[in-house]
Amino acid sequence: MKDKEDILDMTLEEIEKSFEGLGLEKYRAKQVFQWLHKGVTSFEDMTNLSKQLRQTLAQHFYINMPVHCDKFVSKYDETTKYLLSLNDGNIIESVLMKYKHGNSACISSQVGCRMGCKFCASTGLGFVRNLTASEMLGQVLHIKKDSMQRVNNIVVMGIGEPLENYDNLIKFIRLVNHKDGLNIGLRHISVSTCGLVPEIIKLSKEGLPITLSISLHAPDDEIRSKLMPVNKIYNIDILLDTCKIYTEATKRRITFEYAMINGVNDSEDNAKDLAQKLKGMLCHVNIIPINEVHGTGFKKANRKDIEKFKNILEMNGIETTVRRELGSDIEAACGQLRKDILK
C-alpha cells in the first residue's frame, strides 16, 4: 500500500481535489464516492468507469475495507457479532443489533482501549492504536453487505474511547451522514464516552445533532473512581457541569449509561443519590444489566433491584429505560469475543 492513498478515508471534496491533481474529470469523484459507500472492495467493481480509469485508480489508491474473520449469531435475538481483520492484522469487533425501530450497527473506534474500566472486557489487552475514519466506515459497510439489510442507526460504543480518537470520529460521522453515501441522519448516530471533558466541550461546538451517551455507572466519586480510572481526572461534578454546557449548546438530551452491578452500584440509596445529581438536567438514564465478563468478579444485579432503581429515578422526574439484553450467548459485551480469541 506504500505511496497509495486510502480512498475510503477521503471526503468527496478530498477525492475531487486528488482527481484534479491527476488530471481526471471532477464529476468522476462523485461516481467513485458512491461506489465506495456501497461497499465495493475493488475498483474493478465500479462498472460505469472505463477500464483505463479503473487502472489509474488502482495505481494511486487502495480501498481500506476490513476483512471478514468470523461472525456469531445469537439464537435468541439474531444479534450478530463480527470479528474483522484490518490491513495490519489487528482484530476488531462490530455488532449488528435488531430492534423494532430498525437495525443498529455498534462499531469500534480503537484497537484496544486505555481507559481501564474495571467491568469492561477490553481492559487488560492494552491499547494498540486509533482506527481511521475508513476503518470505522468499513465496519458499517461490512455489516450492511453481509446482512443484506439497511443499517438505520450507528452506535460508536464498541472497543475504544471514541473521543480519544476525536478527529477520525468526526470525519467518520460526516462521511456516514453524506447524502451521496449511506445518508444516515445525524440524529440516528450515538457516540458513547467515559467522560473526556475537553472533547465533550469541543464536540458541543461541531454543530452535529448526534446523541451523546455518557458512561456514568455510579452516583458518586467513591464508586465511580473504583470502576473507572478516568473519574480521578474528571470527577462526577466536573463531568455533569460539562454535560450541562453540552445540552445548553446543542439542545440535545444526553443519555447516561448505567451498568448495574450486584452489590456495587444497585442499592436504593445509590438510586436516590443519582436522582439528586441528575435532577433538572436534560437527560435520560439507560440502565444496563451488566454483561458478566470472566475475571472481573462482577455479577449482574437482580431484576427486582433494577426495577426499584428505575422506579426511584422516575419518581424524581428522570426518564429511565432498561436496556434489552442482546447476544448473551455470543459474548456480545464490548471486547469480550476479541479478548477470548486473542488469548
Side-chain angles (χ1 to χ4, degrees), residues 280-306:
M281 287 189 67
L282 182 60
C283 70
H284 157 253
V285 173
N286 188 24
I287 296 174
I288 306 165
I290 196 168
N291 281 293
E292 295 181 6
V293 177
H294 179 71
T296 65
F298 294 132
K299 298 295 181 184
K300 188 181 299 181
N302 67 62
R303 180 58 58 180
K304 284 185 178 179
D305 288 338
I306 290 174

Side-chain angles (χ1 to χ4, degrees), residues 12-67:
L12 177 56
E13 293 72 25
E14 287 171 337
I15 297 174
E16 288 174 344
K17 186 176 181 180
S18 189
F19 277 22
E20 185 181 359
L22 293 172
L24 302 174
E25 299 97 326
K26 184 178 178 180
Y27 78 91
R28 292 294 188 187
K30 184 176 178 180
Q31 291 178 309
V32 171
F33 186 86
Q34 290 173 329
W35 275 116
L36 291 169
H37 289 246
K38 288 178 183 176
V40 299
T41 56
S42 168
F43 295 112
E44 287 302 311
D45 295 331
M46 300 180 180
T47 52
N48 61 343
L49 305 183
S50 69
K51 184 177 180 180
Q52 183 179 353
L53 177 55
R54 282 178 276 165
Q55 290 174 342
T56 299
L57 292 174
Q59 288 171 2
H60 294 276
F61 305 99
Y62 69 99
I63 303 171
N64 190 20
M65 284 286 288
V67 176

Side-chain angles (χ1 to χ4, degrees), residues 8 10-16 29-38 137 140-141 144 150-151 154 170-187 189 208:
L8 187 63
M10 299 168 73
T11 64
L12 177 56
E13 293 72 25
E14 287 171 337
I15 297 174
E16 288 174 344
K30 184 176 178 180
Q31 291 178 309
V32 171
F33 186 86
Q34 290 173 329
W35 275 116
L36 291 169
H37 289 246
K38 288 178 183 176
L137 175 60
V140 182
L141 294 173
K144 182 175 180 287
R150 174 172 171 75
V151 172
I154 294 174
I170 298 301
K171 188 172 190 179
F172 160 72
I173 291 171
R174 297 192 190 283
L175 281 172
V176 84
N177 171 245
H178 199 284
K179 63 181 178 62
D180 292 313
L182 290 174
N183 194 26
I184 294 176
L186 292 170
R187 293 178 184 271
I189 299 172
L208 297 171

Side-chain angles (χ1 to χ4, degrees), residues 8 42 77 106 110 117 153 255 262 274:
L8 187 63
S42 168
D77 50 44
C106 180
Q110 296 178 316
C117 299
N153 308 283
T255 294
N262 186 37
L274 182 62

Side-chain angles (χ1 to χ4, degrees), residues 116-179:
C117 299
K118 303 302 181 186
F119 50 82
C120 181
S122 297
T123 298
L125 292 178
F127 172 79
V128 180
R129 66 173 177 85
N130 287 326
L131 296 185
T132 63
S134 66
E135 288 170 332
M136 287 186 268
L137 175 60
Q139 295 173 67
V140 182
L141 294 173
H142 182 87
I143 288 172
K144 182 175 180 287
K145 188 174 183 179
D146 181 80
S147 66
M148 294 185 291
Q149 296 183 41
R150 174 172 171 75
V151 172
N152 307 93
N153 308 283
I154 294 174
V155 184
V156 190
M157 200 182 284
I159 298 169
E161 165 52 57
L163 294 190
E164 197 182 33
N165 187 14
Y166 189 88
D167 291 340
N168 287 325
L169 172 72
I170 298 301
K171 188 172 190 179
F172 160 72
I173 291 171
R174 297 192 190 283
L175 281 172
V176 84
N177 171 245
H178 199 284
K179 63 181 178 62

Side-chain angles (χ1 to χ4, degrees), residues 71-90:
K71 73 175 180 180
F72 304 83
V73 183
S74 171
K75 61 186 178 184
Y76 302 133
D77 50 44
E78 296 185 271
T79 295
T80 304
K81 170 157 274 193
Y82 293 90
L83 277 177
L84 304 174
S85 176
L86 306 176
N87 273 336
D88 60 2
N90 275 300

